[in-house]
Structures are given as C-alpha cells and as structure tokens.
Amino acid sequence: MGDKVQTLAYGSWPSPIDAELAAAHDGHPEFAGFVGDEAWWTEPRPTEGGRRTLVRRTSDGTEESVLPAPWNVRSRVMEYGGHPWAGLPRDSGPLVVFVNFADQRLYRYEPGGEPVALTPVSPVGGGLRWADPQLHPGRDEVWCVLEEFTGEGPADVRRVVAAVPLDGSAAEDRGAVRELSDGAHRFVTGPRISPDGRRAAWLAWDHPRMPWDGTELIVADVADDGTLRGARTVEGGPEESIAQVEWAADGTLVHSSDRTGYWNLYRREHDGRNTPLCAREEEFGGPLWRIGLRWFALLESGLIAVVHGRGATALGILDPETGQITDAAGPWTEFAPSLATHGGRVIGIGASPRSAYEVVELDTGPADPGSAGTLAGRARVVGAAHDDPVDPAHYPEPQIRTFLGPAGREIHAHVYPPHNPGCLAPGTELPPYVVWAHGGPTSRAPLVLDLAIAYFTSRGIGVAEVNYGGSTGYGREYRNRLREQWGVVDVEDCAAVALALADEGTADRSRLAIRGGSAGGWTTAVSLTTTDVYACGTILYPVLDLTQWASGETHDFESRYLESLVGPLAEEPMRYAERSPAEHADRITAPFLLLQGLDDVICPPTQCERFLARIEGRPVPHAYIAFEGEGHGFRRAETMVRVLEAELSLYAQVFGLNPPGIPTLELAK
C-alpha cells in the first residue's frame, strides 16, 4: 500500500484481510494433553470440511497431524461435545483413543496403523456417544462418559460413567461396555481415578439446573473387580457450582467451587474439611459447556497450574501452601480452559489481541519452601504458533471499557475502533459500529485476535463486543443478573453500550448494527423487535421462539435452561410469548440477515422458518441463507466466506458504504 494514507469514507477502506483469509484462520487448538513427554492437542481444519484433527509435537519439536481426512476428532455428547481423546506412552509408541465425529464411536489408534473401533453403533435416536476418556491401563479399559439415546426424541437419553475394553471386544457388543454409575443423575463428567486406583470422583447434575447453577461432587470406591461401590455426594448442591475435580498425589481432592460467589480452588482433606487454596474475587473455573474443560492441573511438585482471572484469564502457578500465584510471563492475555501437566511441565492454550490461540508450554522450577516456586524459563509457544497472515498493522487495537447501564449497573465491553494504517476517514464523519452479542448466554467474549473482527475494523467499521449481564468471568452475582431476565438485561446492556458510543462521539448514531449467534442471535432478534437503536442486524443460528424451544425443539442439555433464564414455562407462558421475536415479527422494521445451519439440532431451522413466515408480506428488507451440512456454529471455510461477505453487504446497503470487491447480498422486500 506504500506510505501514502488515503482519505476514504468509513466502510470503504481497502483491506488485505478478505473473507477467505478470515475463514482459513477460524477456530483454534483445543483439548491439549500430554502423551508421555509429547504435547498433543486438537486443531481445526476449516478448508477440510471443518474437521478437527489430532496434532502431535514429537520430541524433535516437529508438529504432525496424526489422523488424515476424513477422521474428525470431535464428540457430540450433550451436542457441544467434550474432551475427545486420551493417550498413553508405551515402548512401542503411543496408544491413543479418540471419538470420531461421523459415527461417534470410540477408536483405538497407534501411529503407523489404522484406527480400530472400540464401541458399537446404535440405530436408536442419536446413538451411542462418548466423551472425556481416561485410560486405565491396569484394567485395559478406557473410562469415560457414555451418552445413550433410548428413543427418537432429544430427551430420550441417559448418561453414565462407563468402562470400554481396549481389546475391541465391545466394538459390536453393547453388552461388553461396563456401566460404572447407576444413571441416577441426568448429567455426569468423566471419572477421575485416585492415585492408588481405589477411588473415583466425578461431577453430576440434574434438570432443571445447568452446571453453572449447581453440581454435585461424587466419590465412589473402586472394588477389586473394577466396579464402583458406595457412590456418595461429598460436595456441591443446587446452589453451588463445582466446575472441575482432580485427585492430588496424597489422595485429597482439589476442586473449583463458586460457594463464595467466585469459582475458587479448595482442597477436600481426608477428614472432609475444605481448605481454600487461594481465596480471591476472581475465577478459577467457568461454565462447563463441554465435558472435560480444565481450568487447573496438578504438578508433581504439589504446585497447581491455574487459568484464573476476572474478565480476562492468565496462566499461573499456585503454591497451595501459601496461596501465592506466579503468572507466566509472555504476551498472552487470555488462556482457554485446557491445561495439562507432565512432571514439571505445563501446557495451555493462550492468545492475545495481537495473536490467535497457540499452544504454550511453561516449565516450572522446584518449589522453594515458603515461595510460589520459580518459573524455570519464560513460557514458550510449542504448537499452532501464530503466524501473521497480513501485516499486523491492520489488526484492530481494542479498548477494555466499562459502561453504565440501567440503574447504574456496570457493563463490561471490548471496543474495537476502525483501524487501517493506509486509510483515514473525512474529518467530520463518524464511523458505523456493530455490537457483537456473544452466545451462551452464560459465556463471555474473550479479548483475543479474531480476523472476523479485523475484517470489519480494517474496512472502517467499528465493533463492540459486550459482556452483558449474565456473562461469566465476573462472579456469580454478575452471572445471575440474567436470571429470568433473558431478553431484557442482555438487550438493555447492548443498547446502553451502543448509545454510549454514539453519545460520546465514537460511533454514528444513525449507523449502529447488532449481530450475534445462538443466544447472541436471540439478543440480536429481540433487540430488533423491542428497540429502535439499530439500523440493521445479523442473526446467526438463533433462538426465536421460546415456547417451542422449551417444548422439545432443542437438545436435552439446554431443554430446561429457560427455567432460569426466563422462568418455568408452566408458570410464565405469557412471558415466553411476550419475549419471543417469532411472536412479534410485525414489530421489525430494520433490515436483517438471517443465517442458519440445516443440521442444527440446538437451534433448529424450524425456528427461522416460523419467524420468516410471520414476516412474509411485510416491507422489511431481509435475506435468509441456510447452509447444508452445517450445524450449530459454522465450521466450513466456504460457509464462513459467504457469511462474512453477506454481512458486510448488508451493512454496505443500509449504511451507504462502498466496500470494494464484495458481492451484493440480494435483500427481499
């Protein structure tokens, strides 16, 4: 582009970040673990049909994709999935078990050979599914979560802790799978086995609770024949969320509980007492959307690797004797809930506003008495290293902001102003802004490099990610703001941020938009039916009809979620109707783009179809694009290209922008 700076209207700046580039960098490494002294993890391949592969970092430092296409290492337990693999080192090479997405079977794999199925296929409903495997070499078994459909409906399902033989004898025989728990709880996590092999611990919860509302920590004895006996709840309950549990080397239990209002770490002593290990008003846990997320991992030295923080997360080493944390040095400002340890080594997955998620290793030094230990050397990237695909001068420069909402409540947000080193806007022009509402809604938007955001900011369109009331990372009280207030607090908070940006002269009041997927799609649609803040909106795979969604149109995991977000349907039927955009399509006047995966079982296409039927005949410019082969959240590169270009075209038409080289989205009227 040279040194010459052009003066061009916002939204028409030429950018090297095109939709293909953003799509190729969508997704990030997940589910890191050790196989002996090797680091392994899963990684997305958007240009290979959106599959996820298993990646291995060998002892000489090279990365290799362990499984070729079409193998897809991804579980569908609770639809959102969970930890899909486990591995053990052996003299002859690593032994790995993994879940394959297409058939949801558990496979055994040894590099150099072909994967061998360990579990059978069931023709009933959603079949048999597996997650959070733990290899139990002493018994030649893998212990994991089994999700089994008992009928055709989404709620015809049971979940138990189960043991699968490693010899393949259960590949065609469901009866060869040993069930370890009694099915008394609707939801369970994978078992953690004590160092002496005599006890197992796992988490469980039941409808209508979600795991961030309340979970139970269950301990059972492992009998000589490998059965579990005397299962008993030792911690947790309806109003206490335990997010993770692990065994310490001395046979005590370390767990993350929000009993004080924040997920903090505790040690359950042999006598049943609980010792807080680091009492702080910050989070050492999070929402258990997927089975097997790990916010902490124990080291041989007795130290604990932790992902912790308030709003943002750091990787630190906690000395449980002193409560002191030493954070890893490095550029990362956000770590995913994926930690593993081997000896004194820790691997995690970190990112920053200048770098996408990458696999990070930290070596911990020996602990000195009374200190938090030393970090032997700076943390370093060992996998999925971020490589700038364009000059990073084109990345946005985000601001961490706190706004005031109704009744003076604080609202956390990340503001990404338009930014392009080669372009300026005319002096008096204010930029258009798009409010991004995250999914969940019990989740949050992390402050990390996202080329989909850069796609807009580098063209002169600002983005504001709002961590509205109900978001995680700020304690239980902030999370509980959304209790029975979904469609109210989230909508108010997004609007408050948008209007504050306009009032302070950051954004053009007449050119505000909102967009979001899943629960964020709901917030977007409700915003368009209940406010006049936005000139248009982009709605991705949304909830639009609460009554039907709560009456069997979604999967089992979230089928009772609305009882806390909205209220019990039987008691509040009018509230369900009053808040649903599908009931108030006649109120929409702003143009919108609706995007949906046809294979989505969480927010099914029927929600969009009913909504569109009620808009028919009304003069509202809109477009609906449905994608075959896509589920809840888009994974294929070609889909994401179409989505970004269609979204930009919507804003161009509504805001009067002229982005070069973008196909025009046809809007029905």
Side-chain angles (χ1 to χ4, degrees):
M1 192 179 290
D3 296 325
K4 188 167 187 238
V5 176
Q6 303 178 77
T7 300
L8 293 169
Y10 286 116
S12 62
W13 299 349
S15 169
I17 302 172
D18 60 19
E20 285 82 2
L21 189 75
H25 289 80
D26 188 75
H28 58 80
E30 294 180 316
F31 300 119
F34 280 103
V35 180
D37 60 1
E38 294 182 351
W40 291 49
W41 61 90
T42 65
E43 201 170 283
R45 295 286 185 263
T47 57
E48 297 178 21
R51 78 181 186 102
R52 298 193 75 87
T53 189
L54 195 54
V55 176
R56 168 189 190 186
R57 185 180 193 269
T58 57
S59 53
D60 64 2
T62 58
E63 285 178 40
E64 59 181 46
S65 181
V66 176
L67 294 159
W71 294 104
N72 185 355
V73 183
R74 185 174 149 224
S75 168
R76 280 189 65 182
V77 166
M78 301 186 338
E79 297 303 341
Y80 292 113
H83 206 288
W85 72 276
L88 274 179
R90 298 178 310 161
D91 292 341
S92 58
L95 165 67
V96 175
V97 295
F98 71 93
V99 179
N100 183 48
F101 181 74
D103 57 12
Q104 285 300 291
R105 298 172 88 181
L106 199 61
Y107 284 81
R108 169 181 176 148
Y109 176 67
E110 292 153 270
E114 287 295 313
V116 176
L118 297 180
T119 58
V121 172
S122 166
V124 180
L128 299 173
R129 300 172 178 181
W130 314 86
D132 205 11
Q134 307 282 311
L135 282 161
H136 203 338
R139 299 190 178 279
D140 281 330
E141 291 178 324
V142 53
W143 289 22
C144 51
V145 173
L146 160 59
E147 179 177 74
E148 180 173 27
F149 281 79
T150 57
E152 295 303 317
D156 297 329
V157 64
R158 58 192 293 270
R159 298 175 190 87
V160 294
V161 178
V164 176
L166 280 171
D167 63 6
S169 58
E172 306 297 335
D173 180 9
R174 167 69 180 83
V177 175
R178 290 198 307 124
E179 294 194 11
L180 299 171
S181 63
D182 59 8
H185 293 283
R186 189 74 169 192
F187 302 95
V188 293
T189 64
R192 299 292 182 262
I193 304 163
S194 63
D196 63 5
R198 306 303 299 171
R199 287 175 294 162
W202 65 93
L203 304 178
W205 68 97
D206 292 287
H207 284 318
R209 284 178 279 146
M210 298 300 284
W212 43 86
D213 296 324
T215 52
E216 296 173 25
L217 168 50
I218 296 175
V219 174
D221 301 314
V222 182
D224 291 340
D225 63 358
T227 59
L228 297 184
R229 298 180 181 172
R232 56 218 179 258
T233 297
V234 298
E235 300 290 345
E239 294 298 324
E240 178 184 354
S241 169
I242 298 175
Q244 184 186 345
V245 61
E246 307 291 343
W247 292 100
D250 63 359
T252 58
L253 279 171
V254 178
H255 60 281
S256 173
S257 163
D258 73 347
R259 67 190 60 167
T260 62
Y262 290 85
W263 276 297
N264 280 190
L265 292 188
Y266 298 85
R267 184 190 305 281
R268 179 180 166 82
E269 310 290 355
H270 293 290
D271 62 5
R273 288 181 302 114
N274 271 308
T275 304
L277 301 183
C278 186
R280 296 188 181 187
E281 289 192 350
E282 59 178 77
E283 308 285 27
F284 292 77
L288 200 62
W289 278 104
R290 294 187 291 175
I291 302 298
L293 297 180
R294 291 171 184 150
W295 291 267
F296 67 91
L298 309 184
L299 288 145
E300 284 182 358
S301 62
L303 301 176
I304 304 174
V306 291
V307 168
H308 71 105
R310 187 180 170 106
T313 52
L315 170 61
I317 302 297
L318 166 65
D319 182 343
E321 300 303 316
T322 65
Q324 297 299 305
I325 298 178
T326 304
D327 282 336
W332 309 281
T333 56
E334 184 74 39
F335 276 84
S338 177
L339 285 181
T341 58
H342 176 70
R345 296 163 60 200
V346 181
I347 52 171
I349 298 174
S352 79
R354 312 294 291 175
S355 58
Y357 285 99
E358 44 197 1
V359 183
V360 176
E361 180 175 307
L362 178 64
D363 285 322
T364 62
D368 299 319
S371 81
T374 57
L375 301 184
R378 184 184 175 89
R380 63 194 180 109
V381 175
V382 295
H386 174 74
D387 184 21
D388 291 313
V390 297
D391 184 342
H394 290 89
Y395 297 162
E397 297 177 351
Q399 304 162 359
I400 300 172
R401 300 280 305 271
T402 302
F403 295 88
L404 290 183
R409 65 176 182 249
E410 288 191 344
I411 308 165
H412 302 287
H414 307 143
V415 176
Y416 296 82
H419 176 75
N420 185 314
C423 296
L424 287 174
T428 58
E429 189 186 1
L430 291 175
Y433 257 80
V434 183
V435 168
W436 282 34
H438 64 71
T442 309
S443 184
R444 69 182 173 90
L447 187 68
V448 301
L449 178 63
D450 183 343
L451 291 186
I453 291 177
Y455 176 79
F456 293 103
T457 57
S458 62
R459 285 170 169 74
I461 299 171
V463 170
E465 289 185 306
V466 182
N467 282 321
Y468 47 79
S471 300
T472 52
Y474 308 97
R476 187 163 183 133
E477 185 180 339
Y478 195 85
R479 209 161 76 233
N480 283 348
R481 283 187 191 175
L482 214 52
R483 286 219 162 184
E484 300 198 2
Q485 296 297 309
W486 195 40
V488 180
V489 165
D490 49 325
V491 171
E492 290 176 348
D493 286 2
C494 287
V497 171
L499 294 173
L501 292 173
D503 289 345
E504 71 186 25
T506 298
D508 184 342
R509 173 67 184 88
S510 66
R511 295 193 294 178
L512 298 172
I514 184 169
R515 67 97 74 183
S518 189
W522 153 269
T523 301
T524 298
V526 177
S527 297
L528 295 181
T529 56
T530 61
T531 79
D532 62 357
V533 173
Y534 309 101
C536 61
T538 301
I539 307 166
L540 298 97
Y541 36 90
V543 178
L544 296 169
D545 183 336
L546 292 180
T547 304
Q548 293 302 316
W549 201 79
S551 304
E553 270 192 3
T554 192
H555 62 144
D556 184 57
F557 175 50
E558 292 180 272
S559 62
R560 305 283 294 277
Y561 194 7
L562 297 186
E563 292 194 23
S564 59
L565 289 175
V566 183
L569 176 59
E571 297 171 21
E572 302 290 349
M574 293 308 296
R575 186 185 295 170
Y576 276 63
E578 180 53 39
R579 290 192 194 166
S580 293
E583 297 286 337
H584 304 292
D586 58 314
R587 296 179 186 171
I588 285 200
T589 57
F592 66 89
L593 168 61
L594 187 55
L595 301 155
Q596 177 70 40
L598 289 176
D599 292 349
D600 194 339
V601 296
I602 296 170
C603 294
T606 51
Q607 294 258 317
C608 292
E609 291 157 7
R610 280 198 302 274
F611 180 72
L612 291 168
R614 291 168 185 174
I615 291 239
E616 200 168 340
R618 298 194 58 249
V620 180
H622 66 277
Y624 176 52
I625 308 175
F627 298 96
E628 292 206 17
E630 291 282 12
H632 195 67
F634 302 140
R635 295 176 183 273
R636 298 178 177 178
E638 59 270 24
T639 302
M640 292 181 277
V641 168
R642 182 94 191 274
V643 166
L644 281 174
E645 292 185 340
E647 186 177 349
L648 180 57
S649 179
L650 172 72
Y651 304 148
Q653 293 179 60
V654 174
F655 295 155
L657 315 178
N658 187 27
I662 303 300
T664 299
L665 173 70
E666 294 295 327
L667 294 173
K669 301 200 175 147

